Amino acid sequence: MQTNHEEFIRQSYAVAEQAEKNGNHPFGALLVKEGIVLLTAENTVNTEQDATRHAELNLVSMACQQFDSATRAQSVLFTSTEPCAMCAGAIYWAGIRAVVFGCSAKSLGEITGGSLVIPCQEIFAKGRKTTQVFGPILEAEGMLIHQRFWK
C-alpha cells in the first residue's frame, strides 16, 4: 500500500471543493493504483437530484465499468470523508480492499447533526473479505471544508 496518504487526501479535498463549486455537497474521492490516480469523482447529489450520488458511489460505479476486479482489488480508494454505510457497501461489493479517508464520520456527524453515523470499519468488519481502512488523515483540513459548507 502506498504511503503518501496526505498527498492523495489533499487531492480528494480539492475534488470535494470542486463539488461544492458545482452546487453539490463537498465530498470527493480518488481511485489510486501504484501511486497513479486512475479516477476521480465528486458528489453530484444536487445536480443529479439523486440522494445516492455520493462521491464514493460515483467513483465505484465508474471503476466497475472501466476496470476488472483485479485492478480494483489492487487499488486504494481515497476519500475526503469516511464512507457512509451505503458507500462502504458499494466499495466492498466492488472488490476495493483499501480505503483511506480524511474527515471521520464522527466529526462530520458532529458538524452536520448526522442521523446515520456508522464508522465504515464496522460495515467492512461484517464482510468475509478484509478491507483495510486508514484514517482520519489530515482531519482538521477536511473538517474546515464541512464547517464552511454546513454552517
Side-chain angles (χ1 to χ4, degrees):
M1 173 125 162
Q2 53 251 24
T3 57
N4 45 351
H5 296 330
E6 291 183 359
E7 172 190 341
F8 293 119
I9 287 299
R10 283 198 171 108
Q11 285 183 36
S12 74
Y13 288 156
V15 175
E17 289 174 326
Q18 187 60 49
E20 181 181 358
K21 288 177 187 168
N22 290 336
N24 293 291
H25 304 135
F27 298 92
L30 317 169
L31 189 68
V32 178
K33 181 180 176 201
E34 298 172 358
I36 298 169
V37 177
L38 302 178
L39 294 171
T40 66
E42 61 186 57
N43 178 292
T44 56
V45 165
N46 292 337
T47 54
E48 292 190 29
Q49 298 180 20
D50 181 344
T52 68
R53 301 317 318 159
H54 293 191
E56 300 91 342
L57 196 55
N58 287 338
L59 186 88
V60 167
S61 180
M62 288 188 295
C64 286
Q65 293 171 34
Q66 295 181 36
F67 301 111
D68 62 20
S69 60
T71 300
R72 294 192 309 269
Q74 296 163 4
S75 298
V76 180
L77 191 150
F78 286 85
T79 182
S80 61
T81 306
E82 185 172 4
C84 71
M86 173 184 69
C87 291
I91 292 164
Y92 180 84
W93 290 116
I96 298 168
R97 295 292 170 239
V99 174
V100 180
F101 65 87
C103 183
S104 69
K106 180 179 183 272
S107 293
L108 177 64
E110 291 169 359
I111 294 166
T112 65
S115 62
L116 185 63
V117 178
I118 302 171
C120 67
Q121 185 63 47
E122 289 184 28
I123 305 295
F124 294 132
K126 304 292 184 188
R128 289 185 183 174
K129 296 185 179 181
T130 301
T131 303
Q132 297 178 316
V133 178
F134 301 91
I137 307 287
L138 301 172
E139 184 171 38
E141 292 178 32
M143 288 176 68
L144 285 174
I145 295 167
H146 289 300
Q147 289 165 339
R148 276 194 317 264
F149 181 82
W150 302 101
K151 60 184 169 185

